[in-house]
Amino acid sequence: MKNYKNVFVFDHPLIKHKVSILRDKNTGMKEFRELIEEITTMMTYESMRNVQLVPVTVETPLEVTTQYRVPEESVAIVPILRAGLGMVNGVHKVFPTARVGHIGMYRDEQTLEPQEYYCKLPDGIENKTVFLVDPMLATGGSACDALAALKKRGCKNIRFMAIIGAPEGVSKVAEAHPDIPVYVSTLDRQLNENGYILPGLGDAGDRLFGTK
Ligand code: PRP
Ligand code: URA
């Protein structure tokens, strides 16, 4: 895969450790859900390194000082349904008051083309820092369309976070949306002929919600 300026792959040993358990087919639904949440929290910290802070005046027991805070009310989370739901609590651990919007996408299993079936976003989202989240970035179709949907509704400051990315999907999103930072915890080898990521972790939605 080419080097893209807007793509950030995490290389943290703790993330590697947790992703290795996540992939294991013997990891059950409860642990899978907890791991997705924990990895998302770690990714949220890392992805906020360059965030714009605002000065605030704080009175300590000893004196008045100028400190710096993230304007928390300026953050929104948008999971791509269904599997993105598993990442919402992970971002909420860092930004508990972030509003949540939802974009519903499913991949047509024959064509692998994404279909949008739902979109409900918080008022004022166009002025917020939006975390678009989905554990799996496979062909990149769902992420590309979800990003286009958010841009169409006026969002200007979006970051996309996926736990596992395939090179094909990462390249597609990076090229279609060069203005969007793309964070993936782990870059996998390739897609198989059915659009599944290898080595991957299987169907994230099914593993999160126990549907298969
Ligand atoms: C999965 C995943 C992504 C999409 C990735 O969702 O959660 O949304 O596939 O594939 P792509 O990069 O090729 O578009 P799926 O369509 O299985 O729906 P689900 O979340 O309801 O299980
Ligand atoms: N969606 C998933 O849940 N898993 C994959 O490997 C690809 C798309």
Side-chain angles (χ1 to χ4, degrees), residues 80-83 105-107 134-142 203 205:
I80 302 179
L81 303 179
R82 282 176 306 166
M105 296 267 179
Y106 70 90
R107 288 200 314 177
D134 191 327
M136 308 306 278
L137 173 52
T139 65
S142 307
D203 189 301

Side-chain angles (χ1 to χ4, degrees), residues 2-144:
K2 267 181 19 198
N3 250 340
Y4 295 98
K5 279 208 194 82
N6 57 328
V7 173
F8 305 91
V9 180
F10 293 98
D11 194 25
H12 196 288
L14 280 182
I15 292 188
K16 285 190 174 158
H17 170 80
K18 289 188 186 291
V19 168
S20 80
I21 306 171
L22 194 67
R23 291 185 193 281
D24 191 326
K25 67 176 185 184
N26 295 314
T27 297
M29 184 177 73
K30 175 174 179 285
E31 196 181 2
F32 189 88
R33 193 170 59 231
E34 290 166 352
L35 285 163
I36 292 270
E37 200 175 308
E38 285 177 63
I39 295 166
T40 304
T41 301
M42 292 188 216
M43 293 180 73
T44 306
Y45 276 111
E46 279 295 317
S47 74
M48 292 300 275
R49 274 189 190 280
N50 62 353
V51 71
Q52 192 91 36
L53 298 174
V54 292
V56 291
T57 302
V58 173
E59 205 176 331
T60 78
L62 299 176
E63 63 177 21
V64 174
T65 168
T66 301
Q67 297 290 304
Y68 296 88
R69 290 190 184 160
V70 176
E72 207 188 302
E73 66 287 357
S74 71
V75 172
I77 312 166
V78 178
I80 302 179
L81 303 179
R82 282 176 306 166
L85 285 174
M87 296 176 72
V88 173
N89 285 348
V91 184
H92 263 157
K93 284 255 158 65
V94 184
F95 298 111
T97 60
R99 305 282 175 99
V100 182
H102 297 86
I103 293 191
M105 296 267 179
Y106 70 90
R107 288 200 314 177
D108 181 300
E109 294 203 348
Q110 306 306 319
T111 64
L112 301 183
E113 286 299 318
Q115 315 288 329
E116 183 181 318
Y117 63 87
Y118 186 76
C119 186
K120 179 86 178 167
L121 303 173
D123 285 349
I125 194 166
E126 55 285 354
N127 299 317
K128 293 180 187 285
T129 297
V130 179
F131 282 87
L132 178 68
V133 293
D134 191 327
M136 308 306 278
L137 173 52
T139 65
S142 307
C144 277

